[in-house]
Each structure stands twice: as C-alpha cells, then as structure tokens.
Amino acid sequence: MAEQRFLKYFVFKDKEGLKLPPHRIPLDPKYVKKITHVDKDTVPGAKFYNEVMWILPGFGVGNINNSPNYMTEHTHKFGELMCFYGFNYDNIMDLGAEIEFWIDGQKYIINESFTAFIPAGIKHGPITIRNVVRPIVHVLACDTGSYE
C-alpha cells in the first residue's frame, strides 16, 4: 500500500484544551456537539481557521432574559465566515431556528439557512440563537491560523 503522506491534513476531532476568546460564550455540550477544529496547532502551518459543530434542539431554552447565548460584540483583524444550515430535507433553506445576528450595530433576525461574511475590522455580535426545533450545522471559518 502506498504511503498516506497527506493523512496529517485530515482532522477527525475537536481541539483538545481549546481556549476561546472572551466574546465566545461557553456552550452547553448537551446541546452543542463540536465536530472538528482546524488551526495552526491542529494542522501545522495552516493559515486557515475552521470550527464545525451541531447545535441541537433545546439550545437556549433556559435563556430567560433573552441575552446573547452564542457570542458578544467583537471585531477581528481577519475576515470571518459564519454559516448556519438547517436540516429540513423538505426545505433545506428552513433553518429550524431563529438567529438574532448584529453586524456593525444593525440587527438581523434570520430563520433561513445562511452564510454571512464579516470583513476584517467590522463589529459583529451579539448573536443569540433561539427556538431550535431541528439540528443546525454551524461552520465558522477565518483567513487566519489562530482565532482571537
């Protein structure tokens, strides 16, 4: 069998001991299932950052005062993709949840599957996820080797 020299570029788990910046609100592992994590530590030399996770029904149910439950307002020195995709096979654009997403002081209420690109230096957040009735796949990707 030929040597699998590119196997080192495959990632099969979340990053152990991950420390996220303060704008990232800790997530309940009962409702958020992290899948994979790519950065300069998990793939040496990577100049790209990526997280993939499931957000499950029940997420945010105890959020009585409707405060942000995913992240607070912040900026980055790099561009960021924020993707949320619903799993309604009859209507793939139905998110199966509602996301309140603030970008540069403007509020957006979204209930469709979407990808948002946030350019470097643009304030974004807070983000509040509510009324999750079906699993959501969430992908976060940035053009940097480390997320700050």
Side-chain angles (χ1 to χ4, degrees), residues 21 28 81:
D28 185 342
L81 282 176

Side-chain angles (χ1 to χ4, degrees), residues 41-63:
D41 298 327
T42 59
V43 178
K47 295 181 171 126
F48 182 82
Y49 181 92
N50 177 255
E51 290 179 58
V52 180
M53 63 191 82
W54 286 98
I55 299 172
L56 304 178
F59 179 88
V61 166
N63 191 5

